[in-house]
Amino acid sequence: MLYICGFLAVIFSIAPLVLAEEGYTQGWLGAPDWVLDRTDTSILPDFYIPRNISGTNVEIPTVSSSIAKGNQLIASESFLDAKKQFEEAINLDSNSYDAWLGLGYALEGSKRYQSAIDAYKTASSLCGGEDSAWAAYAGLGRVSLILGQYQAAEQAFQTAIEMIDDTGYSETEDRQALENGLAEARQKLGGGYGAVFSRSTA
C-alpha cells in the first residue's frame, strides 16, 4: 500500500512539470500533448487532432471568408478557383444567397451555362429581402439568352428591372444592361429591337 501511494505521489509531482513544458493540444480533445504523442491514433482516428507545429496560423474557412475570396477570384476572372470557394461556402451554409449567386457568376464565367441557371435559380429562391436580389434574375436572363431560351430571358430581365427599381438602386449602367437584355430577348421573340420595358399600372 505504501509502495502504491509513493508511486502515485511521484507521478503527480512530475506530471505538472511535463504539462507546463509541453502544453496542451489545440484539438478539442483537450489532452496534454505528451499524452497524445503516446496515443494509438487508430483507436479514435476521427477525433484525434494533432497540434499545430508549423508555427503559422491556420485559417479556418467561414462562409463570409470563402465568399470574399470567391468574389476576388471572379474579379480576376479565375472562375474555376472562384467556383471552389463558393462551393466551400455552400457546404458551410447551403442557404447562403450570396454563395449561390457567386457560384452562378463562376459557372457563367466558365461557360457552364446550364449549371449556372441552376445556381441562379437557387439564389433567386433564397434572396428574400436582399437588395441585390435582382442580380440573380439578371444572371438568369443573361444565361437564358445565351442558351436561346428567350421567353425565360424576357421574364428574368423584366423581374430584375422591377426589383432594381423597387430597391432604388442608382447604378444606371446595370439597369441599362437589363433593358438591353430585355430588348434583345423580345427581338428574338419577334417583338423587335424597339420593344421597351414598361411596368403594369393596372
Side-chain angles (χ1 to χ4, degrees):
M1 184 65 177
L2 291 175
Y3 173 78
I4 294 175
C5 291
F7 176 76
L8 291 175
V10 170
I11 290 297
F12 285 118
S13 64
I14 294 175
L17 296 177
V18 176
L19 294 179
E21 180 181 348
E22 298 293 339
Y24 281 78
T25 179
Q26 298 301 309
W28 63 274
L29 284 176
D33 292 335
W34 64 274
V35 171
L36 291 180
D37 288 340
R38 293 165 176 76
T39 300
D40 182 358
T41 59
S42 65
I43 298 174
L44 295 172
D46 294 332
F47 299 101
Y48 179 81
I49 307 175
R51 64 186 184 277
N52 176 21
I53 60 174
S54 66
T56 59
N57 293 327
V58 178
E59 181 181 354
I60 299 175
T62 65
V63 176
S64 59
S65 67
S66 296
I67 291 173
K69 288 181 180 178
N71 288 334
Q72 291 173 355
L73 291 165
I74 289 288
S76 64
E77 299 186 356
S78 301
F79 298 116
L80 292 179
D81 289 334
K83 173 179 172 290
K84 294 176 183 178
Q85 290 296 323
F86 291 122
E87 287 175 336
E88 184 173 78
I90 290 168
N91 286 334
L92 294 170
D93 181 5
S94 61
N95 293 317
S96 170
Y97 164 74
D98 289 325
W100 282 104
L101 179 64
L103 181 60
Y105 286 140
L107 292 167
E108 180 183 354
S110 57
K111 303 185 186 307
R112 296 178 57 181
Y113 296 125
Q114 190 55 57
S115 295
I117 282 183
D118 294 338
Y120 283 134
K121 283 183 177 179
T122 302
S124 68
S125 72
L126 298 171
C127 61
E130 297 279 350
D131 287 343
S132 62
W134 61 271
Y137 289 94
L140 275 174
R142 289 192 305 271
V143 178
S144 296
L145 203 57
I146 292 171
L147 294 177
Q149 300 171 3
Y150 303 124
Q151 188 69 50
E154 180 189 32
Q155 293 175 352
F157 283 129
Q158 186 164 323
T159 300
I161 291 173
E162 290 179 356
M163 297 180 81
I164 206 172
D165 287 345
D166 286 340
T167 60
Y169 185 70
S170 60
E171 194 64 50
T172 55
E173 288 185 5
D174 286 334
R175 195 185 190 288
Q176 186 61 54
L178 295 175
E179 290 179 353
N180 292 343
L182 178 60
E184 184 176 350
R186 286 179 172 173
Q187 187 274 334
K188 296 293 186 181
L189 290 169
Y193 276 112
V196 295
F197 170 79
S198 62
R199 297 189 67 167
S200 172
T201 56

